[in-house]
Amino acid sequence: MTEGCIISQPISRTDLAKMAETQFGDWIKAVVDLSRGVMAVGGDLHADDEALLLKHDSRQQDLWGINLFPEKDGPEWIEFDSLINIRPGQGNRSRGVDDERTRERIRVLVESLVPAELGDE
């Protein structure tokens, strides 16, 4: 099991791409905490990143699993797909993120933590 790390300050896409290379090649799993404004990356499973955030005072209802493709641009660089997202009690019945407002909040958070222009000129 590979434990990920929590990102609370902006990093470059280049740095994220380097992290991805050590795992799945061109992509990396991540879990965002919409309440705390942080993201865990680098676990073998979304559940590993989720557990790391829970250990650091996150609440499960604030956590959403995604996949990031640092080399892609536009909306294709964030994929909303994770088993941890299946939670009928919160109205999410799929591996995706069914609510568009929640997807947009995730996009805004991820792009604030991994801005395209930080070190990527």
Side-chain angles (χ1 to χ4, degrees):
M1 177 178 97
T2 301
E3 183 167 301
C5 64
I6 296 175
I7 297 173
S8 59
Q9 298 295 318
I11 67 167
S12 71
R13 287 227 192 155
T14 301
D15 288 341
L16 189 67
K18 288 176 187 172
M19 294 170 72
E21 285 175 10
T22 67
Q23 290 223 277
F24 302 104
D26 63 343
W27 64 284
I28 192 165
K29 293 177 186 240
V31 174
V32 297
D33 180 332
L34 291 179
S35 178
R36 294 180 51 220
V38 298
M39 172 174 69
V41 298
D44 289 334
L45 303 170
H46 289 109
D48 297 329
D49 290 332
E50 177 185 45
L52 178 62
L53 288 170
L54 291 171
K55 187 167 74 172
H56 288 89
D57 300 322
S58 290
R59 299 177 311 162
Q60 201 280 325
Q61 64 263 27
D62 298 324
L63 305 181
W64 295 95
I66 57 174
N67 300 311
L68 299 174
F69 296 81
E71 303 297 329
K72 292 187 178 183
D73 290 319
E76 295 82 32
W77 96 278
I78 301 174
E79 178 184 61
F80 301 94
D81 181 30
S82 173
L83 286 173
I84 72 163
N85 295 340
I86 300 172
R87 47 182 101 144
Q90 281 183 255
N92 204 84
R93 298 185 175 276
S94 74
R95 292 169 46 123
V97 178
D98 298 337
D99 181 65
E100 177 56 40
R101 288 175 296 189
T102 302
R103 285 193 306 270
E104 183 58 26
R105 289 179 63 206
I106 292 168
R107 281 186 205 99
V108 168
L109 174 58
V110 170
E111 290 172 4
S112 74
L113 292 173
V114 192
E117 57 278 346
L118 183 62
D120 292 331
E121 289 83 37

